Amino acid sequence: YCTQCRWLLRAAWVAQELLTTFQAELGEVALAPGTGGVFEVRLDGVVVWSRASEGRFPELKELKQRVRDVIAPDKTLGHSDA
């Protein structure tokens, strides 16, 4: 997340949501400060979401779906699957 843009709260909220949704699948979530408008979500080094390449922030629903598709493809996300 970009410290210049003050995106810490957004990053922390996303981390909280991912840890809550994938509590059995995720061992940890780390927030790495950066600059230049960076906002990325990576799983084991693989970029799942990049604000730079997508041109926007993720909707939480679509981010959860992308994370699920990588770490727990058979997991249901309830209303986030609709």
Side-chain angles (χ1 to χ4, degrees):
Y1 69 93
C2 180
T3 56
Q4 294 170 313
C5 302
R6 301 190 182 273
W7 290 338
L8 173 59
L9 289 178
R10 185 186 298 247
W13 173 68
V14 169
Q16 172 191 318
E17 287 291 323
L18 292 176
L19 284 168
T20 300
T21 302
F22 301 103
Q23 56 188 323
E25 294 84 11
L26 290 176
E28 68 180 347
V29 172
L31 299 179
T35 58
V38 65
F39 192 91
E40 290 184 347
V41 176
R42 300 180 194 164
L43 292 169
D44 295 327
V46 177
V47 176
V48 175
W49 185 274
S50 169
R51 182 182 165 275
S53 63
E54 300 284 346
R56 62 185 176 87
F57 284 99
E59 293 294 326
L60 192 56
K61 173 182 175 176
E62 67 185 324
L63 181 57
K64 285 182 179 184
Q65 289 170 342
R66 287 190 187 189
V67 169
R68 182 266 320 267
D69 291 348
V70 173
I71 64 172
D74 296 327
K75 183 178 182 75
T76 180
L77 295 176
H79 69 277
S80 291
D81 274 331

